[in-house]
Amino acid sequence: MEAEDIFNQIEEGILDILARIDDGDETALVDLKKIKRYIAELNDMLGVVDENDDIESIKEKFDELSKKFDEFLMAVVKVVG
């Protein structure tokens, strides 16, 4: 899956949740809060990459980031269903 496809999927999922909120779906707010938590965790992970990293240290960090991102995508898929 290409990065653009992933970003499009995330955008569609968030827009779907926002539409559900507009329709009065109370569970959509809970879903939005879950996504917010995952995005915050991903942001924290990206913050650990600095200029002194080499390819191996970045690979290790991105492997961990990949796991977190997979959790995020699974949450989006589960929420959007």
Coordinates of all heavy atoms in Angstrom, one line a residue:
M1 N 0.8 -1.2 0.0 CA 0.0 0.0 0.0 C 0.9 1.2 0.0 O 1.8 1.3 0.8 CB -0.9 0.0 1.2 CG -1.8 1.2 1.3 SD -3.0 1.1 2.7 CE -4.3 0.1 2.0
E2 N 0.6 2.2 -0.9 CA 1.4 3.4 -1.0 C 1.0 4.4 0.1 O -0.1 4.4 0.6 CB 1.3 4.0 -2.4 CG 1.9 3.2 -3.5 CD 1.8 3.9 -4.8 OE1 1.8 5.1 -4.9 OE2 1.8 3.1 -5.8
A3 N 1.9 5.3 0.4 CA 1.7 6.3 1.4 C 0.4 7.1 1.1 O -0.4 7.4 2.0 CB 2.9 7.2 1.6
E4 N 0.3 7.5 -0.2 CA -0.9 8.3 -0.6 C -2.2 7.5 -0.3 O -3.2 8.1 0.2 CB -0.8 8.7 -2.0 CG -1.9 9.6 -2.5 CD -1.7 10.1 -3.9 OE1 -0.6 10.1 -4.4 OE2 -2.8 10.4 -4.5
D5 N -2.2 6.2 -0.6 CA -3.4 5.4 -0.3 C -3.7 5.4 1.2 O -4.8 5.5 1.6 CB -3.2 4.0 -0.8 CG -3.1 3.9 -2.3 OD1 -3.6 4.8 -3.0 OD2 -2.5 3.0 -2.8
I6 N -2.6 5.3 2.0 CA -2.8 5.2 3.5 C -3.4 6.5 3.9 O -4.4 6.6 4.7 CB -1.5 4.9 4.2 CG1 -1.0 3.5 3.8 CG2 -1.6 5.1 5.7 CD1 0.4 3.2 4.3
F7 N -2.8 7.7 3.5 CA -3.3 9.0 3.9 C -4.8 9.2 3.5 O -5.6 9.8 4.2 CB -2.4 10.1 3.4 CG -1.1 10.1 4.1 CD1 0.1 10.1 3.3 CD2 -0.9 10.0 5.4 CE1 1.3 10.0 3.9 CE2 0.3 10.0 6.0 CZ 1.5 10.0 5.2
N8 N -5.1 8.7 2.3 CA -6.5 8.8 1.8 C -7.4 8.0 2.6 O -8.5 8.5 3.0 CB -6.6 8.4 0.3 CG -6.0 9.4 -0.6 OD1 -5.9 10.6 -0.3 ND2 -5.6 9.0 -1.8
Q9 N -7.0 6.8 3.0 CA -7.8 6.0 3.9 C -8.0 6.6 5.3 O -9.2 6.6 5.8 CB -7.2 4.6 4.1 CG -8.0 3.6 4.9 CD -7.3 2.3 5.0 OE1 -6.2 2.1 4.5 NE2 -7.9 1.4 5.7
I10 N -7.0 7.2 5.8 CA -7.1 7.9 7.1 C -8.1 9.1 7.0 O -9.0 9.3 7.8 CB -5.7 8.3 7.6 CG1 -4.9 7.1 8.0 CG2 -5.9 9.3 8.8 CD1 -3.4 7.5 8.2
E11 N -7.9 9.9 5.9 CA -8.8 11.0 5.7 C -10.2 10.6 5.6 O -11.1 11.2 6.2 CB -8.3 11.8 4.5 CG -9.2 13.0 4.2 CD -8.7 13.8 2.9 OE1 -8.0 13.2 2.1 OE2 -9.1 14.9 2.8
E12 N -10.5 9.6 4.8 CA -11.9 9.1 4.6 C -12.4 8.6 6.0 O -13.6 8.9 6.3 CB -11.9 8.0 3.6 CG -11.7 8.4 2.2 CD -11.6 7.3 1.2 OE1 -12.0 6.1 1.6 OE2 -11.1 7.5 0.1
G13 N -11.6 7.9 6.7 CA -12.1 7.4 8.0 C -12.5 8.6 9.0 O -13.5 8.5 9.7
I14 N -11.6 9.6 9.0 CA -11.9 10.7 9.9 C -13.1 11.5 9.4 O -14.0 11.9 10.2 CB -10.7 11.6 10.0 CG1 -9.5 10.9 10.8 CG2 -11.0 13.0 10.7 CD1 -8.2 11.6 10.8
L15 N -13.2 11.7 8.1 CA -14.4 12.4 7.6 C -15.7 11.6 7.9 O -16.7 12.2 8.2 CB -14.3 12.6 6.1 CG -13.2 13.6 5.7 CD1 -13.1 13.7 4.1 CD2 -13.6 15.0 6.2
D16 N -15.6 10.2 7.8 CA -16.8 9.4 8.1 C -17.2 9.6 9.6 O -18.3 9.7 9.9 CB -16.4 7.9 7.9 CG -17.6 7.0 8.2 OD1 -18.7 7.2 7.5 OD2 -17.5 6.2 9.1
I17 N -16.2 9.6 10.5 CA -16.5 9.8 11.9 C -17.1 11.2 12.1 O -18.1 11.3 12.9 CB -15.2 9.7 12.8 CG1 -14.8 8.2 12.8 CG2 -15.4 10.2 14.2 CD1 -13.4 8.0 13.4
L18 N -16.6 12.2 11.5 CA -17.1 13.6 11.6 C -18.6 13.6 11.1 O -19.4 14.3 11.7 CB -16.3 14.6 10.9 CG -14.9 14.8 11.5 CD1 -14.1 15.8 10.6 CD2 -15.0 15.3 12.9
A19 N -18.9 12.9 10.0 CA -20.2 12.8 9.5 C -21.2 12.1 10.5 O -22.3 12.6 10.7 CB -20.3 12.1 8.1
R20 N -20.6 11.1 11.1 CA -21.4 10.4 12.1 C -21.7 11.3 13.3 O -22.8 11.2 13.9 CB -20.7 9.1 12.6 CG -20.7 8.0 11.5 CD -19.8 6.8 11.8 NE -20.0 6.4 13.2 CZ -18.9 5.9 13.9 NH1 -17.8 5.7 13.4 NH2 -19.1 5.5 15.2
I21 N -20.8 12.1 13.7 CA -21.0 13.0 14.8 C -22.1 14.0 14.4 O -23.0 14.3 15.2 CB -19.7 13.8 15.2 CG1 -18.7 12.8 15.9 CG2 -19.9 15.0 16.1 CD1 -17.3 13.3 16.1
D22 N -22.0 14.5 13.1 CA -23.0 15.5 12.7 C -24.4 14.8 12.7 O -25.4 15.5 12.9 CB -22.7 15.9 11.2 CG -21.6 17.0 11.2 OD1 -21.3 17.6 12.3 OD2 -21.1 17.2 10.1
D23 N -24.5 13.5 12.5 CA -25.7 12.8 12.5 C -26.2 12.4 13.9 O -27.3 11.8 14.1 CB -25.6 11.5 11.6 CG -25.5 11.8 10.2 OD1 -25.8 12.9 9.7 OD2 -25.0 10.9 9.4
G24 N -25.4 12.8 14.9 CA -25.8 12.5 16.3 C -25.4 11.2 16.8 O -25.9 10.8 17.9
D25 N -24.5 10.5 16.1 CA -24.0 9.2 16.6 C -23.0 9.4 17.8 O -21.9 9.9 17.6 CB -23.3 8.5 15.5 CG -22.8 7.1 15.8 OD1 -22.8 6.7 17.0 OD2 -22.4 6.4 14.9
E26 N -23.5 9.1 19.0 CA -22.7 9.3 20.2 C -21.4 8.4 20.2 O -20.4 8.8 20.8 CB -23.5 9.0 21.4 CG -24.6 10.1 21.6 CD -25.4 9.9 22.8 OE1 -24.9 9.3 23.8 OE2 -26.6 10.4 22.9
T27 N -21.4 7.3 19.6 CA -20.3 6.4 19.6 C -19.2 7.0 18.7 O -18.0 6.7 18.9 CB -20.6 5.0 19.2 OG1 -21.1 5.0 17.8 CG2 -21.6 4.3 20.1
A28 N -19.5 7.8 17.8 CA -18.5 8.5 16.9 C -17.6 9.3 17.7 O -16.4 9.4 17.4 CB -19.2 9.3 15.8
L29 N -18.1 10.0 18.7 CA -17.2 10.8 19.5 C -16.1 9.9 20.3 O -15.0 10.3 20.3 CB -18.0 11.6 20.6 CG -17.2 12.6 21.4 CD1 -16.4 13.6 20.6 CD2 -18.1 13.3 22.4
V30 N -16.6 8.8 20.7 CA -15.6 7.9 21.4 C -14.6 7.4 20.4 O -13.4 7.4 20.7 CB -16.4 6.7 22.0 CG1 -15.4 5.6 22.5 CG2 -17.3 7.1 23.1
D31 N -15.0 7.1 19.2 CA -14.1 6.7 18.1 C -13.1 7.8 17.8 O -11.9 7.5 17.6 CB -14.9 6.3 16.9 CG -15.8 5.0 17.1 OD1 -15.5 4.3 18.0 OD2 -16.8 4.9 16.3
L32 N -13.6 9.0 17.7 CA -12.7 10.1 17.4 C -11.7 10.3 18.5 O -10.5 10.6 18.2 CB -13.5 11.4 17.2 CG -12.8 12.7 16.8 CD1 -12.2 12.5 15.4 CD2 -13.7 13.9 16.8
K33 N -12.0 10.1 19.7 CA -11.1 10.2 20.8 C -10.0 9.1 20.7 O -8.9 9.4 21.0 CB -11.8 10.1 22.2 CG -12.6 11.4 22.4 CD -13.4 11.3 23.7 CE -14.2 12.5 24.0 NZ -15.0 12.4 25.3
K34 N -10.4 7.9 20.3 CA -9.5 6.8 20.1 C -8.4 7.2 19.0 O -7.2 7.0 19.2 CB -10.2 5.5 19.7 CG -11.0 4.9 20.8 CD -11.7 3.6 20.3 CE -12.6 3.1 21.4 NZ -13.3 1.9 20.8
I35 N -9.0 7.7 17.9 CA -8.1 8.1 16.8 C -7.1 9.2 17.3 O -5.9 9.2 17.0 CB -8.9 8.5 15.6 CG1 -9.5 7.2 15.0 CG2 -8.0 9.2 14.6 CD1 -10.4 7.5 13.8
K36 N -7.6 10.1 18.0 CA -6.8 11.2 18.6 C -5.7 10.7 19.4 O -4.5 11.1 19.3 CB -7.6 12.2 19.4 CG -6.8 13.3 20.0 CD -7.7 14.2 20.9 CE -6.8 15.2 21.6 NZ -7.5 16.0 22.6
R37 N -5.9 9.7 20.2 CA -4.9 9.1 21.1 C -3.8 8.4 20.2 O -2.6 8.6 20.4 CB -5.5 8.1 22.0 CG -4.5 7.5 23.0 CD -5.1 6.5 23.9 NE -5.1 5.2 23.2 CZ -6.2 4.4 23.0 NH1 -7.3 4.7 23.6 NH2 -6.1 3.3 22.4
Y38 N -4.3 7.7 19.1 CA -3.3 7.0 18.3 C -2.4 8.0 17.5 O -1.2 7.9 17.4 CB -4.0 6.1 17.3 CG -4.4 4.8 17.9 CD1 -5.8 4.5 18.0 CD2 -3.5 3.9 18.3 CE1 -6.2 3.3 18.6 CE2 -3.9 2.6 18.9 CZ -5.3 2.4 19.0 OH -5.6 1.2 19.6
I39 N -3.1 9.1 17.1 CA -2.3 10.1 16.3 C -1.3 10.8 17.3 O -0.1 11.0 16.9 CB -3.2 11.2 15.7 CG1 -4.0 10.5 14.5 CG2 -2.5 12.4 15.2 CD1 -5.1 11.4 14.0
A40 N -1.7 11.0 18.5 CA -0.7 11.6 19.5 C 0.5 10.7 19.7 O 1.6 11.1 19.8 CB -1.4 11.9 20.8
E41 N 0.2 9.4 19.8 CA 1.3 8.4 20.0 C 2.2 8.4 18.8 O 3.4 8.3 18.9 CB 0.7 7.0 20.3 CG 0.0 6.9 21.6 CD -0.6 5.5 21.8 OE1 -0.4 4.6 21.0 OE2 -1.3 5.4 22.8
L42 N 1.6 8.4 17.6 CA 2.4 8.5 16.4 C 3.3 9.7 16.3 O 4.5 9.7 16.0 CB 1.6 8.4 15.1 CG 0.9 7.0 14.9 CD1 -0.1 7.2 13.7 CD2 1.9 6.0 14.6
N43 N 2.7 10.8 16.7 CA 3.5 12.1 16.8 C 4.6 12.0 17.7 O 5.8 12.4 17.4 CB 2.5 13.2 17.1 CG 3.2 14.6 17.0 OD1 3.9 14.9 16.0 ND2 3.1 15.4 18.1
D44 N 4.4 11.4 18.9 CA 5.5 11.2 19.8 C 6.6 10.3 19.3 O 7.8 10.6 19.5 CB 5.0 10.5 21.1 CG 4.1 11.5 21.9 OD1 4.1 12.7 21.7 OD2 3.4 11.0 22.8
M45 N 6.2 9.3 18.5 CA 7.2 8.4 17.9 C 8.1 9.1 16.9 O 9.3 9.0 16.9 CB 6.5 7.2 17.3 CG 5.9 6.2 18.2 SD 7.2 5.4 19.2 CE 8.1 4.5 18.0
L46 N 7.4 9.9 16.1 CA 8.2 10.7 15.1 C 9.1 11.7 15.7 O 10.1 12.0 15.1 CB 7.2 11.4 14.1 CG 6.5 10.5 13.1 CD1 5.5 11.2 12.3 CD2 7.5 9.8 12.2
G47 N 8.8 12.2 16.9 CA 9.6 13.1 17.6 C 10.9 12.6 18.0 O 11.8 13.3 18.4
V48 N 11.1 11.2 18.0 CA 12.3 10.6 18.5 C 13.4 10.6 17.4 O 14.6 10.4 17.7 CB 12.1 9.2 19.1 CG1 11.2 9.2 20.2 CG2 11.7 8.3 18.0
V49 N 13.1 10.9 16.2 CA 14.0 10.9 15.1 C 14.8 12.2 15.1 O 14.2 13.3 15.1 CB 13.3 10.7 13.7 CG1 14.4 10.8 12.6 CG2 12.6 9.3 13.7
D50 N 16.1 12.1 15.2 CA 16.9 13.4 15.2 C 18.0 13.3 14.2 O 18.2 12.3 13.5 CB 17.4 13.7 16.6 CG 18.3 12.6 17.1 OD1 19.2 12.0 16.4 OD2 18.3 12.3 18.3
E51 N 18.7 14.4 14.1 CA 19.8 14.5 13.0 C 20.9 13.6 13.2 O 21.7 13.3 12.3 CB 20.3 15.9 13.0 CG 19.2 16.9 12.5 CD 19.8 18.3 12.4 OE1 21.0 18.5 12.3 OE2 18.9 19.3 12.5
N52 N 21.1 13.1 14.4 CA 22.3 12.2 14.7 C 22.0 10.7 14.4 O 22.9 9.9 14.5 CB 22.7 12.3 16.2 CG 23.2 13.7 16.5 OD1 23.8 14.4 15.7 ND2 22.9 14.2 17.7
D53 N 20.8 10.4 14.0 CA 20.4 9.0 13.7 C 21.1 8.5 12.5 O 21.3 9.3 11.5 CB 18.9 8.9 13.6 CG 18.1 8.8 14.9 OD1 18.7 8.3 15.8 OD2 17.0 9.4 14.9
D54 N 21.5 7.2 12.5 CA 21.9 6.6 11.3 C 20.8 5.7 10.8 O 19.8 5.6 11.4 CB 23.3 5.8 11.5 CG 23.1 4.7 12.6 OD1 22.0 4.3 12.9 OD2 24.2 4.3 13.1
I55 N 21.1 5.0 9.7 CA 20.1 4.2 9.0 C 19.6 3.1 10.0 O 18.4 2.8 10.0 CB 20.6 3.6 7.7 CG1 19.5 3.0 6.9 CG2 21.7 2.6 7.9 CD1 18.5 4.1 6.3
E56 N 20.5 2.5 10.8 CA 20.1 1.4 11.7 C 19.2 1.9 12.8 O 18.2 1.3 13.1 CB 21.3 0.7 12.2 CG 22.0 -0.3 11.2 CD 21.0 -1.3 10.7 OE1 20.3 -2.0 11.5 OE2 21.0 -1.5 9.5
S57 N 19.6 3.0 13.4 CA 18.8 3.5 14.5 C 17.4 4.0 14.0 O 16.4 3.8 14.7 CB 19.5 4.7 15.2 OG 19.7 5.8 14.4
I58 N 17.4 4.6 12.8 CA 16.1 5.0 12.2 C 15.2 3.8 11.9 O 14.0 3.8 12.1 CB 16.3 5.9 11.0 CG1 16.8 7.3 11.4 CG2 15.0 6.1 10.2 CD1 17.2 8.2 10.3
K59 N 15.9 2.7 11.4 CA 15.1 1.5 11.0 C 14.5 0.9 12.3 O 13.3 0.6 12.3 CB 16.1 0.5 10.4 CG 15.3 -0.8 10.0 CD 16.3 -1.8 9.4 CE 15.6 -3.1 9.0 NZ 14.6 -3.6 9.9
E60 N 15.2 0.9 13.4 CA 14.7 0.4 14.6 C 13.5 1.2 15.1 O 12.5 0.7 15.5 CB 15.7 0.3 15.7 CG 16.8 -0.7 15.5 CD 17.9 -0.6 16.5 OE1 17.8 0.1 17.5 OE2 19.0 -1.3 16.3
K61 N 13.7 2.5 15.0 CA 12.6 3.5 15.5 C 11.4 3.3 14.5 O 10.3 3.3 15.0 CB 13.1 4.9 15.5 CG 14.1 5.2 16.6 CD 14.7 6.6 16.5 CE 15.7 6.8 17.6 NZ 16.3 8.2 17.5
F62 N 11.6 3.2 13.2 CA 10.5 3.1 12.3 C 9.8 1.7 12.4 O 8.6 1.6 12.1 CB 10.9 3.3 10.9 CG 11.0 4.8 10.6 CD1 10.7 5.8 11.5 CD2 11.4 5.2 9.3 CE1 10.8 7.1 11.2 CE2 11.5 6.6 9.0 CZ 11.2 7.5 9.9
D63 N 10.5 0.7 12.8 CA 9.9 -0.6 13.1 C 8.9 -0.5 14.2 O 7.7 -1.0 14.1 CB 10.9 -1.7 13.4 CG 11.7 -2.2 12.2 OD1 11.2 -1.9 11.1 OD2 12.7 -2.8 12.4
E64 N 9.3 0.2 15.2 CA 8.4 0.5 16.4 C 7.2 1.4 15.9 O 6.0 1.1 16.2 CB 9.1 1.1 17.5 CG 8.3 1.3 18.7 CD 7.7 0.0 19.4 OE1 8.4 -1.0 19.2 OE2 6.7 0.1 20.0
L65 N 7.5 2.4 15.1 CA 6.5 3.3 14.6 C 5.5 2.5 13.7 O 4.3 2.7 13.8 CB 7.1 4.4 13.8 CG 6.2 5.4 13.1 CD1 5.4 6.1 14.2 CD2 7.0 6.4 12.3
S66 N 6.0 1.6 12.9 CA 5.2 0.8 12.0 C 4.2 0.0 12.8 O 3.0 -0.1 12.5 CB 6.0 -0.1 11.2 OG 5.2 -1.0 10.4
K67 N 4.6 -0.5 14.0 CA 3.7 -1.3 14.8 C 2.6 -0.4 15.3 O 1.4 -0.8 15.3 CB 4.4 -1.9 16.0 CG 5.4 -3.0 15.6 CD 6.2 -3.5 16.8 CE 7.3 -4.5 16.4 NZ 8.1 -4.8 17.6
K68 N 2.9 0.8 15.8 CA 2.0 1.8 16.3 C 1.0 2.2 15.1 O -0.2 2.3 15.4 CB 2.6 3.0 16.9 CG 3.4 2.8 18.1 CD 2.5 2.5 19.3 CE 3.3 2.4 20.5 NZ 2.4 2.1 21.7
F69 N 1.5 2.4 14.0 CA 0.7 2.8 12.8 C -0.3 1.7 12.4 O -1.4 2.0 12.1 CB 1.6 3.2 11.7 CG 0.8 3.9 10.6 CD1 0.4 5.2 10.8 CD2 0.6 3.3 9.4 CE1 -0.3 5.9 9.8 CE2 -0.1 4.0 8.4 CZ -0.6 5.3 8.6
D70 N 0.2 0.5 12.5 CA -0.7 -0.7 12.2 C -1.8 -0.7 13.2 O -3.0 -1.0 12.8 CB 0.1 -2.0 12.3 CG 1.0 -2.2 11.1 OD1 0.8 -1.5 10.0 OD2 1.9 -3.1 11.1
E71 N -1.5 -0.4 14.5 CA -2.6 -0.4 15.5 C -3.6 0.7 15.2 O -4.8 0.6 15.3 CB -2.0 -0.1 16.9 CG -1.2 -1.3 17.4 CD -0.5 -0.9 18.7 OE1 -0.9 0.1 19.4 OE2 0.4 -1.7 19.1
F72 N -3.1 1.9 14.7 CA -3.9 3.0 14.3 C -4.8 2.6 13.2 O -6.0 2.9 13.2 CB -3.0 4.2 14.0 CG -3.8 5.3 13.4 CD1 -4.7 6.1 14.1 CD2 -3.6 5.6 12.0 CE1 -5.4 7.1 13.5 CE2 -4.3 6.7 11.4 CZ -5.2 7.4 12.2
L73 N -4.2 2.0 12.1 CA -5.0 1.6 11.0 C -6.1 0.6 11.3 O -7.2 0.7 10.8 CB -4.1 1.1 9.9 CG -3.4 2.1 9.1 CD1 -2.5 1.4 8.0 CD2 -4.2 3.1 8.4
M74 N -5.8 -0.3 12.2 CA -6.8 -1.3 12.6 C -7.9 -0.6 13.4 O -9.1 -0.9 13.2 CB -6.1 -2.3 13.5 CG -5.1 -3.2 12.8 SD -5.9 -4.1 11.4 CE -6.8 -5.3 12.3
A75 N -7.6 0.4 14.2 CA -8.6 1.2 14.9 C -9.5 1.9 13.9 O -10.7 2.0 14.1 CB -8.0 2.1 15.9
V76 N -8.9 2.5 12.9 CA -9.7 3.2 11.9 C -10.6 2.3 11.1 O -11.8 2.6 11.0 CB -8.7 4.0 10.9 CG1 -9.5 4.5 9.7 CG2 -8.0 5.1 11.5
V77 N -10.1 1.1 10.7 CA -10.9 0.2 10.0 C -12.0 -0.3 10.9 O -13.1 -0.5 10.5 CB -10.0 -1.0 9.5 CG1 -10.9 -2.2 9.0 CG2 -9.1 -0.5 8.4
K78 N -11.7 -0.6 12.2 CA -12.7 -1.1 13.1 C -13.8 -0.1 13.3 O -15.0 -0.4 13.4 CB -12.0 -1.4 14.4 CG -13.0 -2.0 15.5 CD -12.3 -2.3 16.8 CE -13.3 -2.8 17.8 NZ -12.6 -3.1 19.1
V79 N -13.4 1.2 13.4 CA -14.4 2.3 13.7 C -15.2 2.5 12.5 O -16.4 2.7 12.6 CB -13.6 3.6 14.1 CG1 -14.5 4.8 14.0 CG2 -13.0 3.4 15.5
V80 N -14.6 2.6 11.3 CA -15.3 2.9 10.1 C -16.1 1.7 9.6 O -17.2 1.8 9.1 CB -14.4 3.4 9.0 CG1 -15.1 3.6 7.7 CG2 -13.7 4.7 9.4
G81 N -15.5 0.5 9.9 CA -16.2 -0.8 9.6 C -16.6 -1.0 8.3 O -17.4 -1.6 7.7

